[in-house]
Amino acid sequence: MQIHQNFSLKNYNTFGIEAKAKQFVAVHTLDQLKSVLEHHKNDKKFILGGGSNMLLTQDIDALVIHVDLKGKKVLKEDENFVWVESNAGENWHEFVLWTIEQDFGGLENMSLIPGNVGTTPVQNIGAYGAEIKDTFVSCDAMNIETQEMKKFTKSECNFGYRESIFKHEAKDKFIITSVVFKLTKCNHKISVEYGDIKAELAKNNIKNPTIKDVSNAVIAIRQSKLPNPKELGNSGSFFKNPVISREEFLKVKEKFPDVKYFEISETEVKVPAGWLIEHAGLKGYRNGDAGVHKNQALVLVNYGNATGQDILNLSKYVQKTVFDKYGIAIEAEVNVI
Ligand code: EPU
């Protein structure tokens, strides 16, 4: 295991931002991870997965540990279900495609989400009507201080919309090393309620979709709306969709009758930040190399040489413009470092 000094992280974050790590090491086994943690007990550490949900606004004055644990396997199965374990460093989308090839159902709606398996529980990733918590069983994590392994069950993870214990009590204390999902072997629960999927399937004349059809539909929708980080630096949705009180929502709806929304509860409504940003006139807005994506206003992009600070400034401008227009505060979903 080589420890690199003053190491560029440009290829390790999907925004493609140039920032340096004081030290950098990639670990490929649990033993390597344990040994790095033991030998660097007193050093500041920064854990890096797929780098798909962070904005680097400065160099990292720490030892960056890139969790590159590969491997996936079937743990057990019964007549109807299969328990599949993936190590943290597997690419999420490749893992999803592998489950679909085996005809294991449950992850298809989350095709093509960037990032690695190990970071999916952190923000309970979700798309097109599915969230990781729907199929998640448990994850193993290494305690950074003691190097002991701990299993987090689903209920211990406190999953919520883009939320989990790993953003709160367990933050900076554990490194997720593997995740177990319970998937269907038959009678797959096909979920096409999310409007875009239905339309995409209808376009292709598919009436009884398989999990593969759903995955293909999601891939087509994402490719049409969301920029590929390999071509245009980005971190997926930059903001969370704000959840506001019904009272507050009714005021907004009165002024903006076309506003889109999702019902959350009797008292709360979720409003798509993409709609708010677009209708504040910022879709496709660009300042230097930092921009709001032209097809999905929730996504901020790096046209080439934007710095993390440029993207951060743009995000603040978007937040302020949205607040001034609707009185709604939108929060960043990505971790700003
Ligand atoms: N909308 C606009 N303008 C835009 C974007 C969206 O008017 O520029 C409207 C759409 O027309 C639609 C509504 O907002 O009526 C919702 O749009 P969309 O289905 O594209 O989803 P989203 O709420 O903008 C969320 C997730 C995405 C996920 C999609 C699909 C969050 C923060 N984002 O976006 O997740 O792919 O739903 O399920 O919840 C990510 O987290 O990185 C991500 C891409």
Side-chain angles (χ1 to χ4, degrees):
M1 252 182 319
Q2 195 188 347
I3 304 221
H4 304 266
Q5 311 292 324
N6 208 22
F7 185 84
S8 169
L9 296 172
K10 193 174 167 72
N11 295 329
Y12 289 85
N13 71 102
T14 59
F15 253 123
I17 301 281
E18 178 57 60
K20 294 250 161 33
K22 185 175 158 203
Q23 292 187 303
F24 176 95
V25 64
V27 295
H28 310 289
T29 65
L30 282 180
D31 284 343
Q32 287 182 345
L33 179 58
K34 189 163 180 260
S35 144
V36 167
L37 293 174
E38 275 167 0
H39 287 94
H40 295 267
K41 254 199 166 6
N42 300 319
D43 293 340
K44 258 209 292 180
K45 290 174 275 298
F46 180 94
I47 311 305
L48 177 66
S52 64
N53 200 42
M54 65 173 192
L55 175 66
L56 293 168
T57 62
Q58 55 190 325
D59 289 342
I60 300 187
D61 186 26
L63 168 64
V64 172
I65 302 175
H66 176 45
V67 182
D68 197 26
L69 305 166
K70 297 279 200 255
K72 48 188 181 283
K73 60 174 184 278
V74 169
L75 284 184
K76 61 171 184 175
E77 53 190 303
D78 63 18
E79 224 173 288
N80 300 312
F81 297 100
V82 58
W83 282 254
V84 174
E85 180 174 51
S86 169
N87 283 335
E90 287 287 333
N91 173 273
W92 171 255
H93 180 56
E94 283 168 23
F95 173 63
V96 172
L97 290 182
W98 176 79
T99 63
I100 291 167
E101 267 166 37
Q102 328 288 312
D103 200 29
F104 298 158
L107 304 180
E108 57 282 355
N109 293 49
M110 293 179 285
S111 297
L112 212 60
I113 295 183
N116 289 352
V117 172
T119 38
T120 59
V122 177
Q123 57 153 353
N124 179 27
I125 62 163
Y128 303 102
E131 281 182 331
I132 205 90
K133 72 165 170 46
D134 308 333
T135 45
F136 179 97
V137 176
S138 64
C139 63
D140 285 345
M142 191 181 282
N143 183 313
I144 295 177
E145 233 7 77
T146 64
Q147 291 85 55
E148 276 162 354
M149 295 300 294
K150 173 171 166 57
K151 191 175 283 304
F152 285 86
T153 62
K154 179 159 151 176
S155 64
E156 282 172 317
C157 289
N158 292 338
F159 288 127
Y161 167 60
R162 298 293 193 272
E163 281 291 353
S164 79
I165 190 171
F166 301 104
K167 282 186 161 184
H168 301 280
E169 299 96 298
K171 193 177 171 181
D172 298 330
K173 295 199 176 80
F174 291 93
I175 299 173
I176 296 171
T177 55
S178 64
V179 186
V180 177
F181 300 95
K182 182 182 171 188
L183 305 176
T184 49
K185 280 171 58 181
C186 48
N187 302 324
H188 300 311
K189 217 172 123 220
I190 302 286
S191 156
V192 294
E193 286 321 299
Y194 210 90
D196 288 348
I197 298 191
K198 263 194 194 149
E200 184 63 33
L201 291 169
K203 205 171 87 186
N204 295 313
N205 233 334
I206 297 172
K207 299 214 172 60
N208 293 308
T210 61
I211 54 173
K212 180 83 187 151
D213 293 329
V214 174
S215 169
N216 285 340
V218 168
I219 291 172
I221 299 163
R222 290 188 76 98
Q223 283 176 338
S224 72
K225 279 196 188 172
L226 297 162
N228 178 349
K230 288 193 180 119
E231 288 155 18
L232 190 60
N234 77 87
S235 220
S237 302
F238 192 91
F239 303 102
K240 288 198 225 180
N241 288 330
V243 176
I244 59 176
S245 71
R246 193 167 291 276
E247 273 174 344
E248 205 186 331
F249 173 69
L250 290 175
K251 280 190 218 146
V252 174
K253 179 122 175 95
E254 210 182 341
K255 271 175 92 182
F256 305 96
D258 297 338
V259 64
K260 297 269 194 302
Y261 61 98
F262 307 104
E263 298 284 348
I264 295 288
S265 67
E266 260 175 42
T267 53
E268 285 180 319
V269 176
K270 194 197 274 182
V271 185
W275 190 95
L276 299 172
I277 298 167
E278 175 173 344
H279 292 84
L282 290 177
K283 194 173 186 170
Y285 172 84
R286 179 169 175 173
N287 186 355
D289 268 357
V292 177
H293 188 53
K294 62 178 184 358
N295 298 334
Q296 166 49 296
L298 199 49
V299 177
L300 302 187
V301 296
N302 172 9
Y303 283 101
N305 293 313
T307 62
Q309 201 58 50
D310 293 339
I311 304 277
L312 184 63
N313 291 343
L314 173 67
S315 77
K316 287 184 177 156
Y317 176 68
V318 170
Q319 283 170 318
K320 181 173 183 324
T321 308
V322 165
F323 190 80
D324 290 349
K325 181 153 180 147
Y326 311 98
I328 298 179
I330 54 172
E331 257 178 61
E333 187 204 286
V334 307
N335 297 315
V336 178
I337 312 293

